[in-house]
Amino acid sequence: MALNINKGSKLGKYFYQKDTITYGPITVDELLEVVDGNTLVYYEGISWAKAKDVPELSKFFRTEYKESIPKTQNTPAQKTVIPQSRNVIEPKVASNLTTVSDTKKVPNDAHSKSSNAKKIVTALALLILASGIIGYFVWYKPYIKNKNATRMYSFASSLALRSTPVSGVDYNAVGNILYGTEILVYSNTGEWSVCKANNIEGYTASKYILSKQDFHILNGIFPDAVSRDAVATTKCKKALLDYFNSRSFMGKIDEQVQLEIFDSVLH
């Protein structure tokens, strides 16, 4: 329903606008209780204008006038609130007004900053998770695998490291293990050991590798290449090793090595 502003103003009443809503009609005393100098008001014979620019009201907004009037606690009269519509003020009365809905909305900076912070935290969490997964597979898992592996040693002068558990061929040879080389054994299937030597993983023949203690005892029996070559077969070398172990015999072993494998120096 359209609001007849002219009729209300003829009764000595004013209208005012706040937040694009038109209020009134009210008397001048009531008006002064609820508006400031920049509030848009309407009165008979004038267009919508700021209260401080209306001749009948301008004196009320001067500093010297405000200071001369004691403060009161009057309660403003009840006002009729009518939502603004195009039928109320357009097109003649308020054709030059700009409402809040006609201007661009100001973005909520606090909300925007909070949203950006959440995105950054999420990105960092995903980055840390990805780094942890990569670190687990690239570093930690191989580290644990090597740490739990059994340390053994080759007592053959040259032992083949192969990509598959097949002997007597050249196509699967991936490395050569020399006498005394440490070998990390991951598993042993009897004839073959899954292992790592010289930073290369593969398969090697189990009968040519010994534990650290057995290797040094055997190396004490055959302390040089000449003596090792004198007993050609692996079977004979292991028989001598079993003989020495059963009688607690010991060949020529350096004292520092004795401390490592026996925790004492034997004579």
Side-chain angles (χ1 to χ4, degrees), residues 29 61 111 137 148 158 164 178 180 186 200 245:
D29 293 333
F61 299 99
H111 177 74
F137 286 102
N148 295 332
S158 180
T164 57
L178 300 178
Y186 301 129
I200 303 174
N245 279 331

Side-chain angles (χ1 to χ4, degrees), residues 11-69:
L11 297 174
K13 301 295 181 70
Y14 287 82
F15 293 84
Y16 69 96
Q17 285 189 349
K18 280 190 177 181
D19 300 327
T20 71
I21 299 177
T22 300
Y23 299 85
I26 60 176
T27 65
V28 66
D29 293 333
E30 295 172 333
L31 179 71
L32 294 175
E33 293 289 341
V34 294
V35 302
D36 56 32
N38 293 317
T39 305
L40 291 175
V41 299
Y42 177 81
Y43 188 66
E44 180 185 6
I46 64 170
S47 300
W48 284 97
K50 293 181 179 180
K52 65 182 179 180
D53 296 331
V54 177
E56 291 82 355
L57 303 175
S58 59
K59 68 175 182 177
F60 298 111
F61 299 99
R62 294 174 187 165
T63 304
E64 59 272 17
Y65 181 85
K66 291 181 179 180
E67 294 176 350
S68 64
I69 300 177

